[in-house]
Amino acid sequence: MNRNNIEYEFSANEIIKYGRPKIEEFYKELIAVQQLYSAAIKEIRTKFEILDDEFKAKYDYNPIHHIESRLKSPRSIYGKLNRKGFEISAKSIRENLFDVAGIRVVCNYIDDIYRIADLLTRQDDITLIRTKDYIEHPKENGYRSLHLIVSIPIFLAEKTENVMAEIQIRTIAMNLWASLEHELKYKSDSDVSDDLKDRLKENAEAIYKIDTEMQAIFKEVHSKDNLSDGQCRGMR
């Protein structure tokens, strides 16, 4: 194991706290696991891209603005397992962490979120594990997004592995708020004051109102087009 990788991923205090031998053993197990989760990201991204291309071909409209993805870092994986008291092993990662592979789909409108989620989860090789609808039921701070935990088969040379991934689907406006809110919290050296929390929540509500109004305008503009919910659900 390359010692430089460990120094890059973990601070000196973390190396002392966890112990270098334990971290090195964890790294060895992690290589194969990361390959599986990376493959899951590629598979799911491709599915979304195909759906978006099909919309463009049939309706001259792209419901997806852009797609982001990330593979949880070794440090984050190790830290989360440690905080939650789980065994530090590849098996434990597979059984206890659902967000190692993360895909974020940013859509133009609210209806696009549910349409794309429905089309994805109805595919034969996708198993929906859990849904958290933070659009209908936003978090206390105002955060909105649709979260899905799905399982997808990864076909390897000698076997097939089912891998879980977390998908977040949100509008451009929701993504703007979430990105800025995260940046503010990340840059702040102290807890955000109650006044700032209230202001952030007020802005989240204002952004959601803009989202719903833009959705209404879109529907009026395309009222005579073929882009209806029923037709889009039946496009498969």
Side-chain angles (χ1 to χ4, degrees):
M1 179 55 58
N2 190 333
R3 295 169 70 88
N4 291 332
N5 286 343
I6 293 174
E7 266 78 21
Y8 178 78
E9 286 284 350
F10 294 85
S11 69
N13 288 337
E14 287 172 328
I15 292 173
I16 293 171
K17 176 182 177 181
Y18 300 139
R20 181 178 290 276
K22 195 171 183 180
I23 293 175
E24 288 179 348
E25 183 62 31
F26 170 71
Y27 255 91
K28 291 176 185 177
E29 290 193 54
L30 188 61
I31 294 172
V33 172
Q34 283 189 312
Q35 186 269 328
L36 282 174
Y37 285 106
S38 180
I41 288 173
K42 291 176 184 176
E43 291 278 358
I44 295 170
R45 281 191 69 120
T46 299
K47 286 178 175 292
F48 279 122
E49 288 165 0
I50 290 171
L51 286 172
D52 195 49
D53 288 345
E54 188 177 5
F55 262 85
K56 180 64 176 177
K58 287 192 172 184
Y59 304 106
D60 193 28
Y61 169 70
N62 292 102
I64 296 175
H65 183 268
H66 70 274
I67 303 172
E68 304 168 4
S69 59
R70 66 102 183 96
L71 192 63
K72 207 172 188 67
S73 71
R75 181 185 183 187
S76 295
I77 293 171
Y78 195 105
K80 191 167 186 177
L81 289 174
N82 188 67
R83 287 194 308 274
K84 292 183 174 293
F86 295 132
E87 179 187 354
I88 308 295
S89 67
K91 182 174 182 288
S92 182
I93 293 170
R94 299 285 304 278
E95 292 177 351
N96 298 305
L97 301 187
F98 300 152
D99 61 345
V100 175
I103 300 96
R104 180 175 299 143
V105 182
V106 180
C107 295
N108 294 312
Y109 301 100
I110 296 171
D111 283 357
D112 294 332
I113 294 172
Y114 294 103
R115 185 178 294 127
I116 286 295
D118 178 57
L119 289 170
L120 177 77
T121 55
R122 288 199 288 117
Q123 294 189 7
D124 294 340
D125 57 346
I126 290 285
T127 302
L128 179 62
I129 306 297
R130 187 174 70 208
T131 302
K132 287 189 177 180
D133 191 341
Y134 295 117
I135 300 172
E136 289 292 328
H137 308 284
K139 290 186 177 182
E140 182 63 29
N141 65 350
Y143 172 87
R144 281 184 166 87
S145 185
L146 181 67
H147 288 200
L148 309 175
I149 301 295
V150 303
S151 177
I152 184 169
I154 302 300
F155 298 94
L156 304 173
E158 298 179 353
K159 59 182 177 179
T160 300
E161 295 274 5
N162 289 304
V163 180
M164 285 189 283
E166 180 187 58
I167 303 171
Q168 300 174 355
I169 315 178
R170 57 179 68 152
T171 63
I172 300 168
M174 292 173 193
N175 192 54
L176 167 68
W177 183 91
S179 298
L180 293 176
E181 192 266 353
H182 180 269
E183 179 71 10
L184 288 169
K185 287 172 64 177
Y186 179 77
K187 294 292 185 181
S188 177
D189 293 330
S190 58
D191 290 337
V192 177
S193 68
D194 289 340
D195 176 61
L196 289 178
K197 287 179 183 177
D198 289 341
R199 288 165 63 187
L200 283 167
K201 188 172 182 178
E202 287 171 6
N203 277 282
E205 293 297 328
I207 284 174
Y208 184 65
K209 288 179 181 178
I210 292 172
D211 251 339
T212 54
E213 178 62 16
M214 293 301 291
Q215 177 75 76
I217 292 170
F218 175 81
K219 285 183 175 180
E220 286 188 34
V221 170
H222 294 276
S223 60
K224 295 182 181 180
D225 294 348
N226 293 325
L227 196 65
S228 68
D229 286 346
Q231 286 171 306
C232 288
R233 290 196 182 98
M235 64 183 285
R236 292 182 65 248

